[in-house]
Amino acid sequence: RKEVEQDPGPFNVPEGATVAFNCTYSNSASQSFFWYRQDCRKEPKLLMSVYSSGNEDGRFTAQLNRASQYISLLIRDSKLSDSATYLCVVNGRNTGKLIFGQGTTLQVKP
Amino acid sequence: DGGITQSPKYLFRKEGQNVTLSCEQNLNHDAMYWYRQDPGQGLRLIYYSQIVNDFQKGDIAEGYSVSREKKESFPLTVTSAQKNPTAFYLCASSIRPGTKNIQYFGAGTRLSVL
């Protein structure tokens, strides 16, 4: 089983839609969780950290479910500019390392 | 502007050749990392350094070497022992070691084999 798993998609949604991605992780002792955004052929950029209480940044909401070992990202009122690959990142069994999921691709259509 | 600079943006390697990818940061970060990304896959850790003059192997260190002689610089050498080097190489840094600290990435180097 992979340490971090994501549905690669692609998720094709119309502008204005609400879309949600989940990411499961295998290390129950994980403490650090992030969502990064990666545009085509570019470097990943931090979208948001994920806190135990959940957190929101504008149209983006991240949630952590420790019992089921997954994190989620909700995007409301999707924009064309949201089209990208979203990487789920979790600290692995070796706590000095972050493990990156393969990413979920979102394509927002006009 | 503070940031992480990787060069070159594109690099071509001939058979049997060693090539070196540059990574420089002016963020005064202690920790630096090298990742490899293949199409449709997540980033895989090659090497990381928590402090000057110290570095550790990541998950896929074979065929690669690094040095950390200066805080700002963490070059990666892809040796001829790396038989499948074609990939997107990303350098990152964080203010301190440890996974609670956000990692910031350079723009990457695309390496191809001639």
PDB file of all heavy atoms in Angstrom, chain B residues 7 11 13 16-23 34 36 46-47 55 60-69 73-83 85 89 109 111:
ATOM      1  N   SER B   7      19.386  25.952 -11.708  1.00  0.00           N
ATOM      2  CA  SER B   7      19.881  26.094 -13.072  1.00  0.00           C
ATOM      3  C   SER B   7      20.647  24.846 -13.480  1.00  0.00           C
ATOM      4  O   SER B   7      21.209  24.145 -12.620  1.00  0.00           O
ATOM      5  CB  SER B   7      20.781  27.332 -13.179  1.00  0.00           C
ATOM      6  OG  SER B   7      21.923  27.187 -12.342  1.00  0.00           O
ATOM      7  N   LEU B  11      18.529  20.483 -19.318  1.00  0.00           N
ATOM      8  CA  LEU B  11      19.866  19.894 -19.359  1.00  0.00           C
ATOM      9  C   LEU B  11      19.800  18.581 -20.112  1.00  0.00           C
ATOM     10  O   LEU B  11      18.855  17.798 -19.944  1.00  0.00           O
ATOM     11  CB  LEU B  11      20.379  19.675 -17.934  1.00  0.00           C
ATOM     12  CG  LEU B  11      21.804  19.194 -17.736  1.00  0.00           C
ATOM     13  CD1 LEU B  11      22.790  20.180 -18.352  1.00  0.00           C
ATOM     14  CD2 LEU B  11      22.099  19.009 -16.259  1.00  0.00           C
ATOM     15  N   ARG B  13      22.005  15.115 -21.090  1.00  0.00           N
ATOM     16  CA  ARG B  13      23.148  14.286 -20.681  1.00  0.00           C
ATOM     17  C   ARG B  13      23.461  13.248 -21.737  1.00  0.00           C
ATOM     18  O   ARG B  13      22.552  12.610 -22.281  1.00  0.00           O
ATOM     19  CB  ARG B  13      22.841  13.580 -19.355  1.00  0.00           C
ATOM     20  CG  ARG B  13      24.076  12.955 -18.699  1.00  0.00           C
ATOM     21  CD  ARG B  13      23.720  12.045 -17.550  1.00  0.00           C
ATOM     22  NE  ARG B  13      23.502  10.674 -17.998  1.00  0.00           N
ATOM     23  CZ  ARG B  13      23.435   9.637 -17.180  1.00  0.00           C
ATOM     24  NH1 ARG B  13      23.538   9.815 -15.880  1.00  0.00           N
ATOM     25  NH2 ARG B  13      23.213   8.417 -17.656  1.00  0.00           N
ATOM     26  N   GLY B  16      27.181   7.989 -20.188  1.00  0.00           N
ATOM     27  CA  GLY B  16      28.444   7.935 -19.471  1.00  0.00           C
ATOM     28  C   GLY B  16      28.905   9.252 -18.874  1.00  0.00           C
ATOM     29  O   GLY B  16      30.001   9.342 -18.317  1.00  0.00           O
ATOM     30  N   GLN B  17      28.074  10.261 -18.978  1.00  0.00           N
ATOM     31  CA  GLN B  17      28.468  11.593 -18.519  1.00  0.00           C
ATOM     32  C   GLN B  17      27.870  11.887 -17.146  1.00  0.00           C
ATOM     33  O   GLN B  17      26.731  11.497 -16.860  1.00  0.00           O
ATOM     34  CB  GLN B  17      27.960  12.625 -19.532  1.00  0.00           C
ATOM     35  CG  GLN B  17      28.396  14.038 -19.302  1.00  0.00           C
ATOM     36  CD  GLN B  17      27.801  14.978 -20.352  1.00  0.00           C
ATOM     37  OE1 GLN B  17      26.660  14.821 -20.771  1.00  0.00           O
ATOM     38  NE2 GLN B  17      28.587  15.954 -20.769  1.00  0.00           N
ATOM     39  N   ASN B  18      28.624  12.556 -16.320  1.00  0.00           N
ATOM     40  CA  ASN B  18      28.078  13.101 -15.076  1.00  0.00           C
ATOM     41  C   ASN B  18      27.621  14.536 -15.337  1.00  0.00           C
ATOM     42  O   ASN B  18      28.290  15.283 -16.057  1.00  0.00           O
ATOM     43  CB  ASN B  18      29.142  13.145 -13.971  1.00  0.00           C
ATOM     44  CG  ASN B  18      29.566  11.770 -13.508  1.00  0.00           C
ATOM     45  OD1 ASN B  18      29.001  10.761 -13.908  1.00  0.00           O
ATOM     46  ND2 ASN B  18      30.579  11.737 -12.661  1.00  0.00           N
ATOM     47  N   VAL B  19      26.499  14.916 -14.763  1.00  0.00           N
ATOM     48  CA  VAL B  19      26.039  16.298 -14.881  1.00  0.00           C
ATOM     49  C   VAL B  19      25.659  16.816 -13.503  1.00  0.00           C
ATOM     50  O   VAL B  19      25.223  16.048 -12.640  1.00  0.00           O
ATOM     51  CB  VAL B  19      24.832  16.428 -15.848  1.00  0.00           C
ATOM     52  CG1 VAL B  19      25.252  16.120 -17.276  1.00  0.00           C
ATOM     53  CG2 VAL B  19      23.674  15.549 -15.420  1.00  0.00           C
ATOM     54  N   THR B  20      25.816  18.126 -13.323  1.00  0.00           N
ATOM     55  CA  THR B  20      25.515  18.728 -12.026  1.00  0.00           C
ATOM     56  C   THR B  20      24.428  19.769 -12.165  1.00  0.00           C
ATOM     57  O   THR B  20      24.505  20.653 -13.031  1.00  0.00           O
ATOM     58  CB  THR B  20      26.778  19.360 -11.417  1.00  0.00           C
ATOM     59  OG1 THR B  20      27.736  18.325 -11.192  1.00  0.00           O
ATOM     60  CG2 THR B  20      26.453  20.036 -10.081  1.00  0.00           C
ATOM     61  N   LEU B  21      23.420  19.650 -11.297  1.00  0.00           N
ATOM     62  CA  LEU B  21      22.314  20.586 -11.248  1.00  0.00           C
ATOM     63  C   LEU B  21      22.551  21.536 -10.072  1.00  0.00           C
ATOM     64  O   LEU B  21      22.861  21.104  -8.956  1.00  0.00           O
ATOM     65  CB  LEU B  21      21.000  19.841 -11.042  1.00  0.00           C
ATOM     66  CG  LEU B  21      20.390  19.082 -12.232  1.00  0.00           C
ATOM     67  CD1 LEU B  21      21.325  18.007 -12.789  1.00  0.00           C
ATOM     68  CD2 LEU B  21      19.055  18.465 -11.823  1.00  0.00           C
ATOM     69  N   SER B  22      22.359  22.813 -10.343  1.00  0.00           N
ATOM     70  CA  SER B  22      22.621  23.817  -9.320  1.00  0.00           C
ATOM     71  C   SER B  22      21.347  24.177  -8.572  1.00  0.00           C
ATOM     72  O   SER B  22      20.258  24.248  -9.155  1.00  0.00           O
ATOM     73  CB  SER B  22      23.201  25.065  -9.980  1.00  0.00           C
ATOM     74  OG  SER B  22      23.276  26.133  -9.061  1.00  0.00           O
ATOM     75  N   CYS B  23      21.481  24.414  -7.263  1.00  0.00           N
ATOM     76  CA  CYS B  23      20.384  24.908  -6.448  1.00  0.00           C
ATOM     77  C   CYS B  23      20.950  25.907  -5.442  1.00  0.00           C
ATOM     78  O   CYS B  23      21.834  25.545  -4.643  1.00  0.00           O
ATOM     79  CB  CYS B  23      19.683  23.772  -5.711  1.00  0.00           C
ATOM     80  SG  CYS B  23      18.338  24.359  -4.637  1.00  0.00           S
ATOM     81  N   TRP B  34      16.428  17.540  -2.422  1.00  0.00           N
ATOM     82  CA  TRP B  34      16.320  17.260  -3.851  1.00  0.00           C
ATOM     83  C   TRP B  34      15.279  16.170  -4.063  1.00  0.00           C
ATOM     84  O   TRP B  34      15.317  15.119  -3.400  1.00  0.00           O
ATOM     85  CB  TRP B  34      17.648  16.776  -4.433  1.00  0.00           C
ATOM     86  CG  TRP B  34      18.555  17.886  -4.855  1.00  0.00           C
ATOM     87  CD1 TRP B  34      19.687  18.323  -4.241  1.00  0.00           C
ATOM     88  CD2 TRP B  34      18.410  18.688  -6.038  1.00  0.00           C
ATOM     89  NE1 TRP B  34      20.242  19.355  -4.944  1.00  0.00           N
ATOM     90  CE2 TRP B  34      19.481  19.600  -6.059  1.00  0.00           C
ATOM     91  CE3 TRP B  34      17.482  18.735  -7.084  1.00  0.00           C
ATOM     92  CZ2 TRP B  34      19.664  20.544  -7.063  1.00  0.00           C
ATOM     93  CZ3 TRP B  34      17.653  19.663  -8.077  1.00  0.00           C
ATOM     94  CH2 TRP B  34      18.734  20.558  -8.075  1.00  0.00           C
ATOM     95  N   ARG B  36      12.900  14.092  -7.249  1.00  0.00           N
ATOM     96  CA  ARG B  36      12.755  13.732  -8.652  1.00  0.00           C
ATOM     97  C   ARG B  36      11.267  13.502  -8.901  1.00  0.00           C
ATOM     98  O   ARG B  36      10.587  12.863  -8.082  1.00  0.00           O
ATOM     99  CB  ARG B  36      13.542  12.460  -8.933  1.00  0.00           C
ATOM    100  CG  ARG B  36      13.242  11.814 -10.250  1.00  0.00           C
ATOM    101  CD  ARG B  36      14.054  10.557 -10.477  1.00  0.00           C
ATOM    102  NE  ARG B  36      13.581   9.900 -11.698  1.00  0.00           N
ATOM    103  CZ  ARG B  36      14.363   9.269 -12.548  1.00  0.00           C
ATOM    104  NH1 ARG B  36      15.663   9.156 -12.300  1.00  0.00           N
ATOM    105  NH2 ARG B  36      13.871   8.714 -13.628  1.00  0.00           N
ATOM    106  N   ILE B  46      15.482  12.370  -3.121  1.00  0.00           N
ATOM    107  CA  ILE B  46      16.788  11.825  -3.517  1.00  0.00           C
ATOM    108  C   ILE B  46      17.779  11.990  -2.358  1.00  0.00           C
ATOM    109  O   ILE B  46      18.376  11.016  -1.894  1.00  0.00           O
ATOM    110  CB  ILE B  46      17.321  12.543  -4.768  1.00  0.00           C
ATOM    111  CG1 ILE B  46      16.330  12.452  -5.925  1.00  0.00           C
ATOM    112  CG2 ILE B  46      18.665  11.936  -5.172  1.00  0.00           C
ATOM    113  CD1 ILE B  46      16.716  13.300  -7.133  1.00  0.00           C
ATOM    114  N   TYR B  47      17.986  13.213  -1.922  1.00  0.00           N
ATOM    115  CA  TYR B  47      18.878  13.532  -0.812  1.00  0.00           C
ATOM    116  C   TYR B  47      18.307  14.733  -0.066  1.00  0.00           C
ATOM    117  O   TYR B  47      17.570  15.523  -0.627  1.00  0.00           O
ATOM    118  CB  TYR B  47      20.281  13.926  -1.321  1.00  0.00           C
ATOM    119  CG  TYR B  47      21.278  12.812  -1.455  1.00  0.00           C
ATOM    120  CD1 TYR B  47      21.525  12.216  -2.693  1.00  0.00           C
ATOM    121  CD2 TYR B  47      22.004  12.370  -0.353  1.00  0.00           C
ATOM    122  CE1 TYR B  47      22.463  11.195  -2.825  1.00  0.00           C
ATOM    123  CE2 TYR B  47      22.949  11.345  -0.479  1.00  0.00           C
ATOM    124  CZ  TYR B  47      23.164  10.765  -1.712  1.00  0.00           C
ATOM    125  OH  TYR B  47      24.093   9.761  -1.838  1.00  0.00           O
ATOM    126  N   PHE B  55      24.484  15.659   5.071  1.00  0.00           N
ATOM    127  CA  PHE B  55      23.358  15.303   4.208  1.00  0.00           C
ATOM    128  C   PHE B  55      23.042  13.824   4.396  1.00  0.00           C
ATOM    129  O   PHE B  55      23.895  13.046   4.857  1.00  0.00           O
ATOM    130  CB  PHE B  55      23.646  15.611   2.737  1.00  0.00           C
ATOM    131  CG  PHE B  55      24.960  15.115   2.215  1.00  0.00           C
ATOM    132  CD1 PHE B  55      25.099  13.804   1.777  1.00  0.00           C
ATOM    133  CD2 PHE B  55      26.068  15.954   2.151  1.00  0.00           C
ATOM    134  CE1 PHE B  55      26.314  13.338   1.291  1.00  0.00           C
ATOM    135  CE2 PHE B  55      27.281  15.506   1.666  1.00  0.00           C
ATOM    136  CZ  PHE B  55      27.408  14.195   1.232  1.00  0.00           C
ATOM    137  N   ILE B  60      15.699   7.374  -3.069  1.00  0.00           N
ATOM    138  CA  ILE B  60      16.216   6.935  -4.369  1.00  0.00           C
ATOM    139  C   ILE B  60      17.595   7.552  -4.629  1.00  0.00           C
ATOM    140  O   ILE B  60      17.853   8.132  -5.661  1.00  0.00           O
ATOM    141  CB  ILE B  60      15.233   7.275  -5.516  1.00  0.00           C
ATOM    142  CG1 ILE B  60      14.893   8.778  -5.524  1.00  0.00           C
ATOM    143  CG2 ILE B  60      13.962   6.453  -5.405  1.00  0.00           C
ATOM    144  CD1 ILE B  60      14.226   9.228  -6.802  1.00  0.00           C
ATOM    145  N   ALA B  61      18.521   7.409  -3.695  1.00  0.00           N
ATOM    146  CA  ALA B  61      19.820   8.081  -3.777  1.00  0.00           C
ATOM    147  C   ALA B  61      20.793   7.426  -4.761  1.00  0.00           C
ATOM    148  O   ALA B  61      21.776   8.067  -5.168  1.00  0.00           O
ATOM    149  CB  ALA B  61      20.450   8.126  -2.393  1.00  0.00           C
ATOM    150  N   GLU B  62      20.561   6.194  -5.154  1.00  0.00           N
ATOM    151  CA  GLU B  62      21.526   5.498  -5.999  1.00  0.00           C
ATOM    152  C   GLU B  62      21.709   6.206  -7.329  1.00  0.00           C
ATOM    153  O   GLU B  62      20.738   6.524  -8.024  1.00  0.00           O
ATOM    154  CB  GLU B  62      21.086   4.049  -6.242  1.00  0.00           C
ATOM    155  CG  GLU B  62      22.114   3.231  -6.990  1.00  0.00           C
ATOM    156  CD  GLU B  62      21.730   1.768  -7.108  1.00  0.00           C
ATOM    157  OE1 GLU B  62      20.781   1.336  -6.408  1.00  0.00           O
ATOM    158  OE2 GLU B  62      22.366   1.057  -7.900  1.00  0.00           O
ATOM    159  N   GLY B  63      22.986   6.453  -7.686  1.00  0.00           N
ATOM    160  CA  GLY B  63      23.282   7.120  -8.942  1.00  0.00           C
ATOM    161  C   GLY B  63      23.342   8.634  -8.826  1.00  0.00           C
ATOM    162  O   GLY B  63      23.526   9.322  -9.834  1.00  0.00           O
ATOM    163  N   TYR B  64      23.186   9.146  -7.621  1.00  0.00           N
ATOM    164  CA  TYR B  64      23.226  10.588  -7.371  1.00  0.00           C
ATOM    165  C   TYR B  64      24.247  10.896  -6.275  1.00  0.00           C
ATOM    166  O   TYR B  64      24.525  10.052  -5.429  1.00  0.00           O
ATOM    167  CB  TYR B  64      21.867  11.111  -6.923  1.00  0.00           C
ATOM    168  CG  TYR B  64      20.734  10.895  -7.898  1.00  0.00           C
ATOM    169  CD1 TYR B  64      19.872   9.812  -7.764  1.00  0.00           C
ATOM    170  CD2 TYR B  64      20.520  11.775  -8.956  1.00  0.00           C
ATOM    171  CE1 TYR B  64      18.833   9.601  -8.651  1.00  0.00           C
ATOM    172  CE2 TYR B  64      19.478  11.582  -9.840  1.00  0.00           C
ATOM    173  CZ  TYR B  64      18.633  10.486  -9.685  1.00  0.00           C
ATOM    174  OH  TYR B  64      17.599  10.294 -10.567  1.00  0.00           O
ATOM    175  N   SER B  65      24.764  12.127  -6.294  1.00  0.00           N
ATOM    176  CA  SER B  65      25.587  12.579  -5.189  1.00  0.00           C
ATOM    177  C   SER B  65      25.317  14.063  -4.953  1.00  0.00           C
ATOM    178  O   SER B  65      24.853  14.773  -5.849  1.00  0.00           O
ATOM    179  CB  SER B  65      27.080  12.349  -5.459  1.00  0.00           C
ATOM    180  OG  SER B  65      27.508  13.145  -6.553  1.00  0.00           O
ATOM    181  N   VAL B  66      25.580  14.512  -3.716  1.00  0.00           N
ATOM    182  CA  VAL B  66      25.344  15.910  -3.354  1.00  0.00           C
ATOM    183  C   VAL B  66      26.499  16.407  -2.493  1.00  0.00           C
ATOM    184  O   VAL B  66      27.329  15.637  -2.008  1.00  0.00           O
ATOM    185  CB  VAL B  66      24.028  16.097  -2.567  1.00  0.00           C
ATOM    186  CG1 VAL B  66      22.812  15.788  -3.437  1.00  0.00           C
ATOM    187  CG2 VAL B  66      24.021  15.247  -1.296  1.00  0.00           C
ATOM    188  N   SER B  67      26.523  17.716  -2.300  1.00  0.00           N
ATOM    189  CA  SER B  67      27.419  18.327  -1.335  1.00  0.00           C
ATOM    190  C   SER B  67      26.693  19.500  -0.701  1.00  0.00           C
ATOM    191  O   SER B  67      25.748  20.049  -1.279  1.00  0.00           O
ATOM    192  CB  SER B  67      28.717  18.782  -1.994  1.00  0.00           C
ATOM    193  OG  SER B  67      28.451  19.784  -2.963  1.00  0.00           O
ATOM    194  N   ARG B  68      27.134  19.882   0.497  1.00  0.00           N
ATOM    195  CA  ARG B  68      26.534  21.057   1.162  1.00  0.00           C
ATOM    196  C   ARG B  68      27.670  21.794   1.873  1.00  0.00           C
ATOM    197  O   ARG B  68      27.827  21.768   3.081  1.00  0.00           O
ATOM    198  CB  ARG B  68      25.456  20.617   2.160  1.00  0.00           C
ATOM    199  CG  ARG B  68      24.719  21.811   2.779  1.00  0.00           C
ATOM    200  CD  ARG B  68      23.534  22.230   2.000  1.00  0.00           C
ATOM    201  NE  ARG B  68      22.915  23.451   2.480  1.00  0.00           N
ATOM    202  CZ  ARG B  68      22.003  23.505   3.449  1.00  0.00           C
ATOM    203  NH1 ARG B  68      21.625  22.394   4.079  1.00  0.00           N
ATOM    204  NH2 ARG B  68      21.485  24.662   3.804  1.00  0.00           N
ATOM    205  N   GLU B  69      28.466  22.465   1.067  1.00  0.00           N
ATOM    206  CA  GLU B  69      29.619  23.185   1.600  1.00  0.00           C
ATOM    207  C   GLU B  69      29.247  24.579   2.085  1.00  0.00           C
ATOM    208  O   GLU B  69      29.943  25.176   2.902  1.00  0.00           O
ATOM    209  CB  GLU B  69      30.716  23.250   0.550  1.00  0.00           C
ATOM    210  CG  GLU B  69      31.256  21.875   0.175  1.00  0.00           C
ATOM    211  CD  GLU B  69      32.271  21.935  -0.955  1.00  0.00           C
ATOM    212  OE1 GLU B  69      32.571  23.051  -1.434  1.00  0.00           O
ATOM    213  OE2 GLU B  69      32.749  20.861  -1.377  1.00  0.00           O
ATOM    214  N   SER B  73      23.849  26.704  -0.840  1.00  0.00           N
ATOM    215  CA  SER B  73      24.022  25.920  -2.049  1.00  0.00           C
ATOM    216  C   SER B  73      23.934  24.417  -1.786  1.00  0.00           C
ATOM    217  O   SER B  73      24.529  23.911  -0.823  1.00  0.00           O
ATOM    218  CB  SER B  73      25.385  26.260  -2.660  1.00  0.00           C
ATOM    219  OG  SER B  73      25.623  25.505  -3.813  1.00  0.00           O
ATOM    220  N   PHE B  74      23.221  23.702  -2.665  1.00  0.00           N
ATOM    221  CA  PHE B  74      23.063  22.254  -2.496  1.00  0.00           C
ATOM    222  C   PHE B  74      23.035  21.620  -3.885  1.00  0.00           C
ATOM    223  O   PHE B  74      21.993  21.209  -4.389  1.00  0.00           O
ATOM    224  CB  PHE B  74      21.766  21.979  -1.732  1.00  0.00           C
ATOM    225  CG  PHE B  74      21.575  20.565  -1.260  1.00  0.00           C
ATOM    226  CD1 PHE B  74      22.634  19.822  -0.742  1.00  0.00           C
ATOM    227  CD2 PHE B  74      20.318  19.975  -1.286  1.00  0.00           C
ATOM    228  CE1 PHE B  74      22.447  18.528  -0.277  1.00  0.00           C
ATOM    229  CE2 PHE B  74      20.111  18.678  -0.822  1.00  0.00           C
ATOM    230  CZ  PHE B  74      21.184  17.961  -0.326  1.00  0.00           C
ATOM    231  N   PRO B  75      24.183  21.506  -4.550  1.00  0.00           N
ATOM    232  CA  PRO B  75      24.190  20.964  -5.910  1.00  0.00           C
ATOM    233  C   PRO B  75      23.988  19.452  -5.939  1.00  0.00           C
ATOM    234  O   PRO B  75      24.418  18.738  -5.015  1.00  0.00           O
ATOM    235  CB  PRO B  75      25.588  21.330  -6.420  1.00  0.00           C
ATOM    236  CG  PRO B  75      26.413  21.484  -5.178  1.00  0.00           C
ATOM    237  CD  PRO B  75      25.493  21.993  -4.123  1.00  0.00           C
ATOM    238  N   LEU B  76      23.354  18.993  -6.983  1.00  0.00           N
ATOM    239  CA  LEU B  76      23.092  17.562  -7.190  1.00  0.00           C
ATOM    240  C   LEU B  76      23.832  17.096  -8.437  1.00  0.00           C
ATOM    241  O   LEU B  76      23.690  17.705  -9.499  1.00  0.00           O
ATOM    242  CB  LEU B  76      21.590  17.329  -7.386  1.00  0.00           C
ATOM    243  CG  LEU B  76      21.156  15.906  -7.771  1.00  0.00           C
ATOM    244  CD1 LEU B  76      21.247  14.970  -6.578  1.00  0.00           C
ATOM    245  CD2 LEU B  76      19.736  15.908  -8.328  1.00  0.00           C
ATOM    246  N   THR B  77      24.618  16.045  -8.304  1.00  0.00           N
ATOM    247  CA  THR B  77      25.280  15.440  -9.454  1.00  0.00           C
ATOM    248  C   THR B  77      24.575  14.157  -9.829  1.00  0.00           C
ATOM    249  O   THR B  77      24.369  13.282  -8.974  1.00  0.00           O
ATOM    250  CB  THR B  77      26.763  15.172  -9.163  1.00  0.00           C
ATOM    251  OG1 THR B  77      27.430  16.422  -8.947  1.00  0.00           O
ATOM    252  CG2 THR B  77      27.434  14.453 -10.331  1.00  0.00           C
ATOM    253  N   VAL B  78      24.192  14.067 -11.080  1.00  0.00           N
ATOM    254  CA  VAL B  78      23.602  12.844 -11.624  1.00  0.00           C
ATOM    255  C   VAL B  78      24.745  12.086 -12.292  1.00  0.00           C
ATOM    256  O   VAL B  78      25.308  12.549 -13.295  1.00  0.00           O
ATOM    257  CB  VAL B  78      22.487  13.168 -12.625  1.00  0.00           C
ATOM    258  CG1 VAL B  78      21.813  11.889 -13.111  1.00  0.00           C
ATOM    259  CG2 VAL B  78      21.459  14.108 -11.999  1.00  0.00           C
ATOM    260  N   THR B  79      25.111  10.964 -11.738  1.00  0.00           N
ATOM    261  CA  THR B  79      26.271  10.243 -12.251  1.00  0.00           C
ATOM    262  C   THR B  79      25.880   9.285 -13.360  1.00  0.00           C
ATOM    263  O   THR B  79      24.697   9.004 -13.572  1.00  0.00           O
ATOM    264  CB  THR B  79      26.968   9.476 -11.113  1.00  0.00           C
ATOM    265  OG1 THR B  79      26.174   8.327 -10.786  1.00  0.00           O
ATOM    266  CG2 THR B  79      27.164  10.350  -9.877  1.00  0.00           C
ATOM    267  N   SER B  80      26.890   8.736 -14.011  1.00  0.00           N
ATOM    268  CA  SER B  80      26.637   7.774 -15.082  1.00  0.00           C
ATOM    269  C   SER B  80      26.022   6.485 -14.549  1.00  0.00           C
ATOM    270  O   SER B  80      25.479   5.693 -15.306  1.00  0.00           O
ATOM    271  CB  SER B  80      27.942   7.473 -15.818  1.00  0.00           C
ATOM    272  OG  SER B  80      28.913   7.007 -14.911  1.00  0.00           O
ATOM    273  N   ALA B  81      26.073   6.295 -13.243  1.00  0.00           N
ATOM    274  CA  ALA B  81      25.485   5.105 -12.627  1.00  0.00           C
ATOM    275  C   ALA B  81      23.956   5.187 -12.589  1.00  0.00           C
ATOM    276  O   ALA B  81      23.286   4.173 -12.398  1.00  0.00           O
ATOM    277  CB  ALA B  81      26.012   4.934 -11.199  1.00  0.00           C
ATOM    278  N   GLN B  82      23.420   6.378 -12.789  1.00  0.00           N
ATOM    279  CA  GLN B  82      21.960   6.546 -12.813  1.00  0.00           C
ATOM    280  C   GLN B  82      21.507   6.240 -14.234  1.00  0.00           C
ATOM    281  O   GLN B  82      21.701   7.037 -15.154  1.00  0.00           O
ATOM    282  CB  GLN B  82      21.581   7.963 -12.401  1.00  0.00           C
ATOM    283  CG  GLN B  82      20.108   8.321 -12.542  1.00  0.00           C
ATOM    284  CD  GLN B  82      19.143   7.293 -11.977  1.00  0.00           C
ATOM    285  OE1 GLN B  82      18.410   6.644 -12.721  1.00  0.00           O
ATOM    286  NE2 GLN B  82      19.169   7.117 -10.674  1.00  0.00           N
ATOM    287  N   LYS B  83      20.896   5.075 -14.415  1.00  0.00           N
ATOM    288  CA  LYS B  83      20.605   4.573 -15.758  1.00  0.00           C
ATOM    289  C   LYS B  83      19.352   5.160 -16.377  1.00  0.00           C
ATOM    290  O   LYS B  83      19.151   5.064 -17.579  1.00  0.00           O
ATOM    291  CB  LYS B  83      20.482   3.044 -15.711  1.00  0.00           C
ATOM    292  CG  LYS B  83      21.767   2.345 -15.281  1.00  0.00           C
ATOM    293  CD  LYS B  83      22.951   2.745 -16.148  1.00  0.00           C
ATOM    294  CE  LYS B  83      24.229   2.056 -15.703  1.00  0.00           C
ATOM    295  NZ  LYS B  83      25.418   2.588 -16.426  1.00  0.00           N
ATOM    296  N   PRO B  85      17.951   8.670 -15.972  1.00  0.00           N
ATOM    297  CA  PRO B  85      17.968   9.987 -15.344  1.00  0.00           C
ATOM    298  C   PRO B  85      16.922  10.953 -15.862  1.00  0.00           C
ATOM    299  O   PRO B  85      16.734  12.023 -15.275  1.00  0.00           O
ATOM    300  CB  PRO B  85      19.374  10.505 -15.688  1.00  0.00           C
ATOM    301  CG  PRO B  85      19.655   9.883 -17.024  1.00  0.00           C
ATOM    302  CD  PRO B  85      19.025   8.524 -16.975  1.00  0.00           C
ATOM    303  N   TYR B  89      13.669  17.568 -12.007  1.00  0.00           N
ATOM    304  CA  TYR B  89      14.349  17.598 -10.721  1.00  0.00           C
ATOM    305  C   TYR B  89      14.006  18.897  -9.988  1.00  0.00           C
ATOM    306  O   TYR B  89      14.160  19.993 -10.531  1.00  0.00           O
ATOM    307  CB  TYR B  89      15.863  17.484 -10.908  1.00  0.00           C
ATOM    308  CG  TYR B  89      16.275  16.103 -11.365  1.00  0.00           C
ATOM    309  CD1 TYR B  89      16.283  15.769 -12.716  1.00  0.00           C
ATOM    310  CD2 TYR B  89      16.614  15.114 -10.436  1.00  0.00           C
ATOM    311  CE1 TYR B  89      16.630  14.499 -13.133  1.00  0.00           C
ATOM    312  CE2 TYR B  89      16.968  13.843 -10.842  1.00  0.00           C
ATOM    313  CZ  TYR B  89      16.968  13.542 -12.195  1.00  0.00           C
ATOM    314  OH  TYR B  89      17.310  12.274 -12.602  1.00  0.00           O
ATOM    315  N   THR B 109      14.646  21.673 -12.833  1.00  0.00           N
ATOM    316  CA  THR B 109      15.499  21.400 -13.992  1.00  0.00           C
ATOM    317  C   THR B 109      14.971  20.159 -14.683  1.00  0.00           C
ATOM    318  O   THR B 109      14.750  19.126 -14.032  1.00  0.00           O
ATOM    319  CB  THR B 109      16.964  21.147 -13.560  1.00  0.00           C
ATOM    320  OG1 THR B 109      17.510  22.348 -13.029  1.00  0.00           O
ATOM    321  CG2 THR B 109      17.808  20.696 -14.750  1.00  0.00           C
ATOM    322  N   LEU B 111      15.835  17.224 -17.039  1.00  0.00           N
ATOM    323  CA  LEU B 111      17.008  16.510 -17.539  1.00  0.00           C
ATOM    324  C   LEU B 111      16.566  15.455 -18.540  1.00  0.00           C
ATOM    325  O   LEU B 111      15.631  14.690 -18.278  1.00  0.00           O
ATOM    326  CB  LEU B 111      17.753  15.852 -16.384  1.00  0.00           C
ATOM    327  CG  LEU B 111      18.954  14.973 -16.729  1.00  0.00           C
ATOM    328  CD1 LEU B 111      20.042  15.782 -17.418  1.00  0.00           C
ATOM    329  CD2 LEU B 111      19.512  14.303 -15.471  1.00  0.00           C
TER     330      LEU B 111
END
